[in-house]
Amino acid sequence: MASYGMLIDTTKCVGCYACRVACQMQNSLHVTDSFIHYDEVEKGTFPNVRNEHVPLACMQCKDAPCVSVCPTGASYINADGVVLVNSERCIGCKYCMNACPYHARIQDQDTGVAEKCRFCILADDGSVPDPACVSTCITGARIFGDLSDPNSDISLAIIKKNAKPIAGDLTASKVYYVR
């Protein structure tokens, strides 16, 4: 069984927001809503200063706190390890939103459902294309793939670039960062 994850190389990210716009379009989100938000971190000392753009979204935790607090089972982890939401079961209680240490959930303005990044897994046929944020990234700062395959592009890049989860061992995150 696959275990999908993502690597985000902040040394390549230019903060163009293409990933965010592509995600909004793919998921039909309101212009004010997004599954991706950015932290900007100033690095260096004068005169050698630069801004680091850190795109943040759902970390697809193996031990997802949002899943464990959901009273209806609307938040769940599928067979490929992706944290998903069953919109028909969600009652909009926001427990998952409060439990997420990454603040990665939003509430749909029309339905009240607590939504989040799902790696663009929308197809019922089990196919998993590159997420919209990956395929639209102009600098190639994102890699998506199967973490359980040691020869996958993402597994090799994590080792080569010494990528780490953004918050260490806070949760068993499957999104890795190069910083």
Side-chain angles (χ1 to χ4, degrees), residues 4 25 48 71 76 156 161 166 174:
Y4 292 109
M25 298 299 291
N48 301 313
Y76 67 99
L156 296 172
K161 297 178 180 227
I166 193 91
K174 293 193 302 178

Side-chain angles (χ1 to χ4, degrees), residues 24-106:
Q24 287 171 305
M25 298 299 291
Q26 175 70 34
N27 293 289
S28 302
L29 298 175
H30 290 275
V31 70
T32 57
D33 289 339
S34 180
F35 296 152
I36 300 171
H37 63 275
Y38 290 81
D39 279 351
E40 284 194 32
V41 180
E42 194 172 278
K43 297 284 216 165
T45 55
F46 182 80
N48 301 313
V49 179
R50 71 175 185 86
N51 274 346
E52 177 187 31
H53 304 280
V54 184
L56 299 163
C58 177
M59 298 295 157
Q60 300 295 338
C61 309
K62 292 177 194 171
D63 58 350
C66 60
V67 171
S68 62
V69 301
C70 182
T72 64
S75 291
Y76 67 99
I77 301 174
N78 77 359
D80 291 326
V82 179
V83 180
L84 298 173
V85 179
N86 179 334
S87 60
E88 293 177 10
R89 297 187 76 178
C90 180
I91 59 173
C93 67
K94 299 184 184 178
Y95 286 177
C96 61
M97 293 174 75
N98 289 319
C100 177
Y102 304 102
H103 309 289
R105 297 239 177 175
I106 64 170

Side-chain angles (χ1 to χ4, degrees), residues 4 26-27 60 76 78 80-85 116-132 144:
Y4 292 109
Q26 175 70 34
N27 293 289
Q60 300 295 338
Y76 67 99
N78 77 359
D80 291 326
V82 179
V83 180
L84 298 173
V85 179
K116 54 172 282 316
C117 170
R118 55 187 158 268
F119 284 158
C120 291
I121 295 176
L122 302 172
D124 291 332
D125 65 2
S127 65
V128 183
D130 273 349
F144 173 77

